[in-house]
Amino acid sequence: MTKNVFNIFVGLMILLFGLYSCKGDKPKSNRTDTYSSGTIEFASDESFSPIIDEEVEMFNLDHPKAEITPIYTNEQDAVKMLMDEKIFLAITSRQFTKNEYNILKNKGYKSMKSAPIAYDGLALIIHVDNPDTCITVKDFARILSGEAKKWSDIYPNSKQGDIEVVFDNPKSSTVRYAQDSILGGKPINSPNIQAVNKSAEVINYVEKTKNAIGIIGSNWLNDKRDTTNVTFKKNIRVMSVSQMETATPYNSWKPYQYYIYNDSYPLIRTIYCLLNDSYRGLPFGFSNYLASPKGQMIIFHSSLLPAYGNMTTRNVIVK
């Protein structure tokens, strides 16, 4: 082999190796986003949309080179999109299952994480004219299981008739919580159950239906005119829930932040970021923003309980 031919051969090998190395360093999706720039989509359970909308708006303002767009869907489909590698971030009320973690690991991912960002109280809402505003977890479970079919099965003097149960979506995190945490894994068997498409539709349904009870995330209830986060929407009633055998106004609680904080309110779920971003780009940056002091302050002002930060409480006497 002559010197010129050898030099050409070596040059071609270096060029090919360089092309191969560059190709190996690129993510499969040919992403160009960074920690704080670019354009991406992520998925979220629709029941968290009020708080996620606020977080997205502030993140995009703070990072003018970034544009993130939420896809609001049900929890099952959000996780499926993540597992199918269509997105790299999902906001849910559960962590990765062991099977999901192993599937992603076998695909070569190494940076999966389930990070809590907030705590949400599942609210039970009823028509504004329904006088029965206290309920036990046990009686609510009786409603979901189909054991209690009429309001008089729980409140003997009630004239509200049949109980209509309204959920936001058949595959939502709310339904999963009701089955797993309230019914102990058993299915919902209420004979009069309605599943609409969105949380706002649950509120609208309950407003118009005197015998209905709806289940929604408490972040849908905050009256934006009230900066103290203790006023719920005026056109529905929010039930007080008790862990005791009998519910009274003295042992039942509404999903206010403080009652979530001290575990008085019994229907609490954790909101998680499910992250699968080995590239450490914009999904990774946004998930860190949600856990940052600024992101947590936005959560605090939404009436949810932030997952991080020092909470200070004070006893006051109201005269």
Side-chain angles (χ1 to χ4, degrees):
M1 182 180 296
T2 65
K3 185 175 181 180
N4 287 340
V5 173
F6 177 80
N7 289 338
I8 292 171
F9 176 78
V10 172
L12 287 172
M13 290 298 294
I14 292 173
L15 177 62
L16 289 172
F17 180 77
L19 291 173
Y20 176 80
S21 298
C22 292
K23 183 178 180 181
D25 287 340
K26 283 187 177 182
K28 293 180 181 179
S29 58
N30 294 319
R31 288 167 55 188
T32 58
D33 58 287
T34 70
Y35 185 90
S36 59
S37 68
T39 302
I40 59 105
E41 292 181 325
F42 69 96
S44 172
D45 187 290
E46 184 273 338
S47 65
F48 307 135
S49 61
I51 179 58
I52 297 302
D53 279 343
E54 291 186 41
E55 294 280 9
V56 167
E57 180 181 1
M58 293 307 301
F59 182 87
N60 286 336
L61 286 174
D62 289 345
H63 303 85
K65 294 183 179 180
E67 182 178 351
I68 56 175
T69 304
I71 301 171
Y72 291 121
T73 182
N74 60 75
E75 185 173 81
Q76 290 185 31
D77 289 347
V79 174
K80 187 177 186 304
M81 292 173 68
L82 190 70
M83 299 302 295
D84 292 342
E85 302 169 86
K86 294 180 179 179
I87 57 169
F88 301 94
L89 172 66
I91 310 297
T92 69
S93 66
R94 68 170 179 84
Q95 304 184 61
F96 280 117
T97 66
K98 186 176 181 180
N99 184 54
E100 289 165 350
Y101 187 89
N102 289 334
I103 288 173
L104 291 172
K105 187 176 181 180
N106 291 334
K107 287 182 178 181
Y109 289 95
K110 299 179 181 179
S111 302
M112 301 84 71
K113 71 173 183 178
S114 305
I117 58 170
Y119 302 100
D120 180 28
L122 272 181
L124 308 183
I125 61 174
I126 53 177
H127 191 271
V128 70
D129 292 335
N130 191 332
D132 301 311
T133 58
C134 295
I135 191 170
T136 66
V137 174
K138 183 178 179 180
D139 281 337
F140 184 53
R142 290 175 61 215
I143 293 174
L144 295 177
S145 67
E147 180 185 345
K149 300 178 178 63
K150 297 180 179 293
W151 284 101
S152 57
D153 292 335
I154 299 175
Y155 310 100
N157 297 324
S158 176
K159 298 179 181 179
Q160 298 297 321
D162 294 336
I163 302 172
E164 290 194 40
V165 182
V166 192
F167 283 97
D168 51 354
N169 189 288
K171 297 189 288 184
S172 73
S173 59
T174 308
V175 172
R176 185 185 59 77
Y177 181 94
Q179 292 176 327
D180 292 350
S181 300
I182 300 175
L183 293 177
K186 297 178 182 178
I188 298 171
N189 286 322
S190 173
N192 298 311
I193 189 167
Q194 306 287 335
V196 291
N197 292 316
K198 298 179 179 180
S199 298
E201 294 176 16
V202 176
I203 297 174
N204 292 337
Y205 191 95
V206 172
E207 284 180 9
K208 300 172 183 177
T209 312
K210 289 188 176 182
N211 60 328
I213 181 170
I215 303 94
I216 58 175
S218 62
N219 67 122
W220 278 91
L221 301 175
N222 189 31
D223 190 331
K224 298 301 182 183
R225 297 167 298 177
D226 177 18
T227 58
T228 64
N229 288 337
V230 295
T231 302
F232 294 135
K233 291 182 180 293
K234 305 294 192 302
N235 46 5
I236 54 173
R237 285 182 184 267
V238 179
M239 300 194 81
S240 298
V241 185
S242 176
Q243 303 184 60
M244 304 300 177
E245 285 294 316
T246 303
T248 71
Y250 304 102
N251 66 14
S252 305
W253 313 96
K254 293 183 180 181
Y256 294 134
Q257 281 176 321
Y258 179 66
Y259 298 142
I260 296 173
Y261 172 73
N262 67 7
D263 287 327
S264 293
Y265 190 73
L267 307 179
I268 301 173
R269 60 181 178 174
T270 306
I271 303 176
Y272 292 94
C273 282
L274 299 189
L275 189 67
N276 181 30
D277 187 14
S278 299
Y279 184 82
R280 292 193 171 228
L282 202 48
F284 183 83
F286 181 59
S287 67
N288 280 357
Y289 181 85
L290 294 175
S292 72
K294 188 165 188 176
Q296 291 288 286
M297 185 59 68
I298 294 171
I299 289 172
F300 175 76
H301 286 302
S302 75
S303 79
L304 300 183
L305 183 69
Y308 308 103
N310 295 321
M311 301 292 292
T312 302
T313 63
R314 294 183 178 89
N315 293 324
V316 297
I317 298 175
V318 180
K319 296 182 180 180

PDB file of all heavy atoms in Angstrom, residues 24-53:
ATOM      1  N   GLY A  24     -24.309   7.920  17.235  1.00  0.00           N
ATOM      2  CA  GLY A  24     -24.564   7.248  18.501  1.00  0.00           C
ATOM      3  C   GLY A  24     -24.885   8.211  19.620  1.00  0.00           C
ATOM      4  O   GLY A  24     -25.575   7.871  20.559  1.00  0.00           O
ATOM      5  N   ASP A  25     -24.392   9.465  19.511  1.00  0.00           N
ATOM      6  CA  ASP A  25     -24.640  10.433  20.559  1.00  0.00           C
ATOM      7  C   ASP A  25     -26.026  11.065  20.441  1.00  0.00           C
ATOM      8  O   ASP A  25     -26.528  11.637  21.400  1.00  0.00           O
ATOM      9  CB  ASP A  25     -23.598  11.551  20.512  1.00  0.00           C
ATOM     10  CG  ASP A  25     -22.241  11.060  21.007  1.00  0.00           C
ATOM     11  OD1 ASP A  25     -22.201  10.033  21.714  1.00  0.00           O
ATOM     12  OD2 ASP A  25     -21.254  11.699  20.662  1.00  0.00           O
ATOM     13  N   LYS A  26     -26.643  11.002  19.281  1.00  0.00           N
ATOM     14  CA  LYS A  26     -27.947  11.611  19.102  1.00  0.00           C
ATOM     15  C   LYS A  26     -29.034  10.753  19.702  1.00  0.00           C
ATOM     16  O   LYS A  26     -28.989   9.536  19.603  1.00  0.00           O
ATOM     17  CB  LYS A  26     -28.244  11.812  17.600  1.00  0.00           C
ATOM     18  CG  LYS A  26     -27.526  13.001  16.978  1.00  0.00           C
ATOM     19  CD  LYS A  26     -28.010  13.215  15.569  1.00  0.00           C
ATOM     20  CE  LYS A  26     -27.356  14.443  14.952  1.00  0.00           C
ATOM     21  NZ  LYS A  26     -27.869  14.679  13.584  1.00  0.00           N
ATOM     22  N   PRO A  27     -30.029  11.350  20.320  1.00  0.00           N
ATOM     23  CA  PRO A  27     -31.160  10.577  20.809  1.00  0.00           C
ATOM     24  C   PRO A  27     -31.947  10.004  19.647  1.00  0.00           C
ATOM     25  O   PRO A  27     -31.930  10.525  18.537  1.00  0.00           O
ATOM     26  CB  PRO A  27     -31.990  11.609  21.586  1.00  0.00           C
ATOM     27  CG  PRO A  27     -31.582  12.925  21.023  1.00  0.00           C
ATOM     28  CD  PRO A  27     -30.158  12.785  20.611  1.00  0.00           C
ATOM     29  N   LYS A  28     -32.651   8.909  19.906  1.00  0.00           N
ATOM     30  CA  LYS A  28     -33.395   8.242  18.853  1.00  0.00           C
ATOM     31  C   LYS A  28     -34.393   9.171  18.184  1.00  0.00           C
ATOM     32  O   LYS A  28     -34.702   9.024  17.013  1.00  0.00           O
ATOM     33  CB  LYS A  28     -34.122   7.022  19.433  1.00  0.00           C
ATOM     34  CG  LYS A  28     -33.198   5.925  19.906  1.00  0.00           C
ATOM     35  CD  LYS A  28     -34.003   4.767  20.470  1.00  0.00           C
ATOM     36  CE  LYS A  28     -33.086   3.666  20.972  1.00  0.00           C
ATOM     37  NZ  LYS A  28     -33.850   2.530  21.543  1.00  0.00           N
ATOM     38  N   SER A  29     -34.943  10.123  18.939  1.00  0.00           N
ATOM     39  CA  SER A  29     -35.969  11.007  18.413  1.00  0.00           C
ATOM     40  C   SER A  29     -35.399  12.221  17.689  1.00  0.00           C
ATOM     41  O   SER A  29     -36.146  13.072  17.219  1.00  0.00           O
ATOM     42  CB  SER A  29     -36.872  11.476  19.545  1.00  0.00           C
ATOM     43  OG  SER A  29     -36.091  12.144  20.530  1.00  0.00           O
ATOM     44  N   ASN A  30     -34.066  12.321  17.582  1.00  0.00           N
ATOM     45  CA  ASN A  30     -33.414  13.471  16.963  1.00  0.00           C
ATOM     46  C   ASN A  30     -33.836  14.776  17.633  1.00  0.00           C
ATOM     47  O   ASN A  30     -34.048  15.802  16.982  1.00  0.00           O
ATOM     48  CB  ASN A  30     -33.720  13.534  15.459  1.00  0.00           C
ATOM     49  CG  ASN A  30     -33.120  12.368  14.711  1.00  0.00           C
ATOM     50  OD1 ASN A  30     -31.988  11.962  14.981  1.00  0.00           O
ATOM     51  ND2 ASN A  30     -33.871  11.797  13.779  1.00  0.00           N
ATOM     52  N   ARG A  31     -33.969  14.750  18.947  1.00  0.00           N
ATOM     53  CA  ARG A  31     -34.404  15.920  19.689  1.00  0.00           C
ATOM     54  C   ARG A  31     -33.340  17.015  19.669  1.00  0.00           C
ATOM     55  O   ARG A  31     -32.147  16.742  19.669  1.00  0.00           O
ATOM     56  CB  ARG A  31     -34.727  15.533  21.127  1.00  0.00           C
ATOM     57  CG  ARG A  31     -35.994  14.728  21.270  1.00  0.00           C
ATOM     58  CD  ARG A  31     -36.104  14.116  22.643  1.00  0.00           C
ATOM     59  NE  ARG A  31     -35.990  15.125  23.701  1.00  0.00           N
ATOM     60  CZ  ARG A  31     -35.904  14.821  24.985  1.00  0.00           C
ATOM     61  NH1 ARG A  31     -35.901  13.546  25.375  1.00  0.00           N
ATOM     62  NH2 ARG A  31     -35.824  15.780  25.888  1.00  0.00           N
ATOM     63  N   THR A  32     -33.828  18.239  19.675  1.00  0.00           N
ATOM     64  CA  THR A  32     -32.925  19.387  19.706  1.00  0.00           C
ATOM     65  C   THR A  32     -33.176  20.271  20.931  1.00  0.00           C
ATOM     66  O   THR A  32     -32.533  21.297  21.088  1.00  0.00           O
ATOM     67  CB  THR A  32     -33.096  20.243  18.441  1.00  0.00           C
ATOM     68  OG1 THR A  32     -34.460  20.678  18.349  1.00  0.00           O
ATOM     69  CG2 THR A  32     -32.733  19.448  17.194  1.00  0.00           C
ATOM     70  N   ASP A  33     -34.140  19.866  21.793  1.00  0.00           N
ATOM     71  CA  ASP A  33     -34.426  20.675  22.971  1.00  0.00           C
ATOM     72  C   ASP A  33     -33.311  20.562  23.990  1.00  0.00           C
ATOM     73  O   ASP A  33     -32.555  19.588  24.017  1.00  0.00           O
ATOM     74  CB  ASP A  33     -35.755  20.242  23.605  1.00  0.00           C
ATOM     75  CG  ASP A  33     -35.763  18.782  24.005  1.00  0.00           C
ATOM     76  OD1 ASP A  33     -35.843  17.915  23.100  1.00  0.00           O
ATOM     77  OD2 ASP A  33     -35.678  18.492  25.215  1.00  0.00           O
ATOM     78  N   THR A  34     -33.202  21.592  24.823  1.00  0.00           N
ATOM     79  CA  THR A  34     -32.238  21.592  25.920  1.00  0.00           C
ATOM     80  C   THR A  34     -32.995  21.715  27.236  1.00  0.00           C
ATOM     81  O   THR A  34     -34.222  21.703  27.254  1.00  0.00           O
ATOM     82  CB  THR A  34     -31.253  22.766  25.792  1.00  0.00           C
ATOM     83  OG1 THR A  34     -31.942  23.998  26.055  1.00  0.00           O
ATOM     84  CG2 THR A  34     -30.645  22.824  24.395  1.00  0.00           C
ATOM     85  N   TYR A  35     -32.246  21.861  28.307  1.00  0.00           N
ATOM     86  CA  TYR A  35     -32.852  21.987  29.635  1.00  0.00           C
ATOM     87  C   TYR A  35     -33.822  23.160  29.717  1.00  0.00           C
ATOM     88  O   TYR A  35     -34.804  23.104  30.452  1.00  0.00           O
ATOM     89  CB  TYR A  35     -31.735  22.164  30.666  1.00  0.00           C
ATOM     90  CG  TYR A  35     -32.174  22.187  32.107  1.00  0.00           C
ATOM     91  CD1 TYR A  35     -32.250  20.999  32.833  1.00  0.00           C
ATOM     92  CD2 TYR A  35     -32.484  23.386  32.742  1.00  0.00           C
ATOM     93  CE1 TYR A  35     -32.643  21.021  34.174  1.00  0.00           C
ATOM     94  CE2 TYR A  35     -32.869  23.412  34.075  1.00  0.00           C
ATOM     95  CZ  TYR A  35     -32.941  22.227  34.778  1.00  0.00           C
ATOM     96  OH  TYR A  35     -33.336  22.239  36.090  1.00  0.00           O
ATOM     97  N   SER A  36     -33.577  24.224  28.939  1.00  0.00           N
ATOM     98  CA  SER A  36     -34.394  25.430  29.050  1.00  0.00           C
ATOM     99  C   SER A  36     -34.794  26.023  27.701  1.00  0.00           C
ATOM    100  O   SER A  36     -35.210  27.178  27.637  1.00  0.00           O
ATOM    101  CB  SER A  36     -33.646  26.492  29.859  1.00  0.00           C
ATOM    102  OG  SER A  36     -32.408  26.810  29.237  1.00  0.00           O
ATOM    103  N   SER A  37     -34.712  25.249  26.628  1.00  0.00           N
ATOM    104  CA  SER A  37     -35.093  25.762  25.317  1.00  0.00           C
ATOM    105  C   SER A  37     -35.642  24.629  24.452  1.00  0.00           C
ATOM    106  O   SER A  37     -35.453  23.447  24.744  1.00  0.00           O
ATOM    107  CB  SER A  37     -33.895  26.419  24.625  1.00  0.00           C
ATOM    108  OG  SER A  37     -32.922  25.444  24.291  1.00  0.00           O
ATOM    109  N   GLY A  38     -36.335  25.036  23.393  1.00  0.00           N
ATOM    110  CA  GLY A  38     -36.887  24.045  22.479  1.00  0.00           C
ATOM    111  C   GLY A  38     -38.400  23.936  22.600  1.00  0.00           C
ATOM    112  O   GLY A  38     -39.048  24.730  23.284  1.00  0.00           O
ATOM    113  N   THR A  39     -38.940  22.954  21.934  1.00  0.00           N
ATOM    114  CA  THR A  39     -40.383  22.732  21.910  1.00  0.00           C
ATOM    115  C   THR A  39     -40.676  21.271  22.200  1.00  0.00           C
ATOM    116  O   THR A  39     -40.139  20.387  21.524  1.00  0.00           O
ATOM    117  CB  THR A  39     -40.971  23.106  20.535  1.00  0.00           C
ATOM    118  OG1 THR A  39     -40.662  24.477  20.258  1.00  0.00           O
ATOM    119  CG2 THR A  39     -42.475  22.914  20.502  1.00  0.00           C
ATOM    120  N   ILE A  40     -41.509  21.012  23.207  1.00  0.00           N
ATOM    121  CA  ILE A  40     -41.881  19.630  23.532  1.00  0.00           C
ATOM    122  C   ILE A  40     -43.336  19.582  23.996  1.00  0.00           C
ATOM    123  O   ILE A  40     -43.927  20.591  24.350  1.00  0.00           O
ATOM    124  CB  ILE A  40     -40.970  19.006  24.624  1.00  0.00           C
ATOM    125  CG1 ILE A  40     -41.033  19.833  25.926  1.00  0.00           C
ATOM    126  CG2 ILE A  40     -39.544  18.873  24.137  1.00  0.00           C
ATOM    127  CD1 ILE A  40     -41.845  19.211  27.026  1.00  0.00           C
ATOM    128  N   GLU A  41     -43.886  18.385  23.996  1.00  0.00           N
ATOM    129  CA  GLU A  41     -45.187  18.113  24.573  1.00  0.00           C
ATOM    130  C   GLU A  41     -45.011  17.116  25.714  1.00  0.00           C
ATOM    131  O   GLU A  41     -44.064  16.322  25.720  1.00  0.00           O
ATOM    132  CB  GLU A  41     -46.143  17.513  23.530  1.00  0.00           C
ATOM    133  CG  GLU A  41     -46.540  18.471  22.419  1.00  0.00           C
ATOM    134  CD  GLU A  41     -47.511  17.828  21.442  1.00  0.00           C
ATOM    135  OE1 GLU A  41     -47.374  16.613  21.191  1.00  0.00           O
ATOM    136  OE2 GLU A  41     -48.385  18.541  20.909  1.00  0.00           O
ATOM    137  N   PHE A  42     -45.899  17.176  26.691  1.00  0.00           N
ATOM    138  CA  PHE A  42     -45.930  16.178  27.744  1.00  0.00           C
ATOM    139  C   PHE A  42     -47.387  15.879  28.047  1.00  0.00           C
ATOM    140  O   PHE A  42     -48.291  16.616  27.629  1.00  0.00           O
ATOM    141  CB  PHE A  42     -45.194  16.671  28.998  1.00  0.00           C
ATOM    142  CG  PHE A  42     -45.885  17.797  29.720  1.00  0.00           C
ATOM    143  CD1 PHE A  42     -46.712  17.546  30.802  1.00  0.00           C
ATOM    144  CD2 PHE A  42     -45.721  19.120  29.311  1.00  0.00           C
ATOM    145  CE1 PHE A  42     -47.359  18.577  31.466  1.00  0.00           C
ATOM    146  CE2 PHE A  42     -46.359  20.158  29.971  1.00  0.00           C
ATOM    147  CZ  PHE A  42     -47.186  19.884  31.051  1.00  0.00           C
ATOM    148  N   ALA A  43     -47.644  14.802  28.767  1.00  0.00           N
ATOM    149  CA  ALA A  43     -49.021  14.384  29.056  1.00  0.00           C
ATOM    150  C   ALA A  43     -49.326  14.584  30.530  1.00  0.00           C
ATOM    151  O   ALA A  43     -48.445  14.478  31.389  1.00  0.00           O
ATOM    152  CB  ALA A  43     -49.234  12.926  28.666  1.00  0.00           C
ATOM    153  N   SER A  44     -50.590  14.856  30.816  1.00  0.00           N
ATOM    154  CA  SER A  44     -51.034  15.010  32.191  1.00  0.00           C
ATOM    155  C   SER A  44     -52.452  14.495  32.325  1.00  0.00           C
ATOM    156  O   SER A  44     -53.271  14.668  31.406  1.00  0.00           O
ATOM    157  CB  SER A  44     -50.977  16.482  32.620  1.00  0.00           C
ATOM    158  OG  SER A  44     -51.573  16.668  33.899  1.00  0.00           O
ATOM    159  N   ASP A  45     -52.720  13.878  33.479  1.00  0.00           N
ATOM    160  CA  ASP A  45     -54.106  13.559  33.790  1.00  0.00           C
ATOM    161  C   ASP A  45     -54.900  14.860  33.794  1.00  0.00           C
ATOM    162  O   ASP A  45     -54.484  15.852  34.385  1.00  0.00           O
ATOM    163  CB  ASP A  45     -54.190  12.872  35.154  1.00  0.00           C
ATOM    164  CG  ASP A  45     -55.584  12.355  35.466  1.00  0.00           C
ATOM    165  OD1 ASP A  45     -56.469  13.201  35.691  1.00  0.00           O
ATOM    166  OD2 ASP A  45     -55.792  11.135  35.476  1.00  0.00           O
ATOM    167  N   GLU A  46     -56.047  14.852  33.132  1.00  0.00           N
ATOM    168  CA  GLU A  46     -56.840  16.069  32.954  1.00  0.00           C
ATOM    169  C   GLU A  46     -57.260  16.698  34.277  1.00  0.00           C
ATOM    170  O   GLU A  46     -57.441  17.921  34.368  1.00  0.00           O
ATOM    171  CB  GLU A  46     -58.068  15.746  32.096  1.00  0.00           C
ATOM    172  CG  GLU A  46     -58.941  16.938  31.750  1.00  0.00           C
ATOM    173  CD  GLU A  46     -59.994  17.238  32.814  1.00  0.00           C
ATOM    174  OE1 GLU A  46     -60.329  16.313  33.590  1.00  0.00           O
ATOM    175  OE2 GLU A  46     -60.451  18.388  32.882  1.00  0.00           O
ATOM    176  N   SER A  47     -57.389  15.894  35.321  1.00  0.00           N
ATOM    177  CA  SER A  47     -57.852  16.438  36.606  1.00  0.00           C
ATOM    178  C   SER A  47     -56.861  17.412  37.225  1.00  0.00           C
ATOM    179  O   SER A  47     -57.202  18.165  38.141  1.00  0.00           O
ATOM    180  CB  SER A  47     -58.146  15.298  37.594  1.00  0.00           C
ATOM    181  OG  SER A  47     -56.974  14.593  37.928  1.00  0.00           O
ATOM    182  N   PHE A  48     -55.619  17.438  36.728  1.00  0.00           N
ATOM    183  CA  PHE A  48     -54.613  18.368  37.247  1.00  0.00           C
ATOM    184  C   PHE A  48     -54.450  19.603  36.364  1.00  0.00           C
ATOM    185  O   PHE A  48     -53.550  20.403  36.586  1.00  0.00           O
ATOM    186  CB  PHE A  48     -53.257  17.672  37.387  1.00  0.00           C
ATOM    187  CG  PHE A  48     -53.289  16.403  38.190  1.00  0.00           C
ATOM    188  CD1 PHE A  48     -52.633  15.268  37.747  1.00  0.00           C
ATOM    189  CD2 PHE A  48     -53.997  16.330  39.378  1.00  0.00           C
ATOM    190  CE1 PHE A  48     -52.671  14.090  38.479  1.00  0.00           C
ATOM    191  CE2 PHE A  48     -54.036  15.154  40.112  1.00  0.00           C
ATOM    192  CZ  PHE A  48     -53.373  14.028  39.660  1.00  0.00           C
ATOM    193  N   SER A  49     -55.300  19.770  35.364  1.00  0.00           N
ATOM    194  CA  SER A  49     -55.087  20.821  34.369  1.00  0.00           C
ATOM    195  C   SER A  49     -55.058  22.243  34.933  1.00  0.00           C
ATOM    196  O   SER A  49     -54.273  23.069  34.446  1.00  0.00           O
ATOM    197  CB  SER A  49     -56.120  20.714  33.240  1.00  0.00           C
ATOM    198  OG  SER A  49     -57.436  20.853  33.717  1.00  0.00           O
ATOM    199  N   PRO A  50     -55.870  22.603  35.958  1.00  0.00           N
ATOM    200  CA  PRO A  50     -55.781  23.994  36.439  1.00  0.00           C
ATOM    201  C   PRO A  50     -54.383  24.371  36.944  1.00  0.00           C
ATOM    202  O   PRO A  50     -53.853  25.428  36.580  1.00  0.00           O
ATOM    203  CB  PRO A  50     -56.816  24.035  37.572  1.00  0.00           C
ATOM    204  CG  PRO A  50     -57.815  22.997  37.196  1.00  0.00           C
ATOM    205  CD  PRO A  50     -57.002  21.889  36.591  1.00  0.00           C
ATOM    206  N   ILE A  51     -53.778  23.502  37.744  1.00  0.00           N
ATOM    207  CA  ILE A  51     -52.462  23.828  38.271  1.00  0.00           C
ATOM    208  C   ILE A  51     -51.376  23.681  37.205  1.00  0.00           C
ATOM    209  O   ILE A  51     -50.438  24.487  37.129  1.00  0.00           O
ATOM    210  CB  ILE A  51     -52.131  22.964  39.521  1.00  0.00           C
ATOM    211  CG1 ILE A  51     -50.737  23.290  40.050  1.00  0.00           C
ATOM    212  CG2 ILE A  51     -52.222  21.487  39.218  1.00  0.00           C
ATOM    213  CD1 ILE A  51     -50.546  24.738  40.428  1.00  0.00           C
ATOM    214  N   ILE A  52     -51.494  22.680  36.337  1.00  0.00           N
ATOM    215  CA  ILE A  52     -50.487  22.495  35.293  1.00  0.00           C
ATOM    216  C   ILE A  52     -50.504  23.664  34.316  1.00  0.00           C
ATOM    217  O   ILE A  52     -49.450  24.122  33.853  1.00  0.00           O
ATOM    218  CB  ILE A  52     -50.704  21.155  34.568  1.00  0.00           C
ATOM    219  CG1 ILE A  52     -50.522  19.980  35.537  1.00  0.00           C
ATOM    220  CG2 ILE A  52     -49.731  21.012  33.394  1.00  0.00           C
ATOM    221  CD1 ILE A  52     -49.172  19.932  36.216  1.00  0.00           C
ATOM    222  N   ASP A  53     -51.686  24.187  33.989  1.00  0.00           N
ATOM    223  CA  ASP A  53     -51.774  25.353  33.106  1.00  0.00           C
ATOM    224  C   ASP A  53     -50.997  26.538  33.693  1.00  0.00           C
ATOM    225  O   ASP A  53     -50.288  27.252  32.967  1.00  0.00           O
ATOM    226  CB  ASP A  53     -53.234  25.759  32.897  1.00  0.00           C
ATOM    227  CG  ASP A  53     -53.935  24.906  31.849  1.00  0.00           C
ATOM    228  OD1 ASP A  53     -53.232  24.234  31.065  1.00  0.00           O
ATOM    229  OD2 ASP A  53     -55.183  24.911  31.818  1.00  0.00           O
TER     230      ASP A  53
END
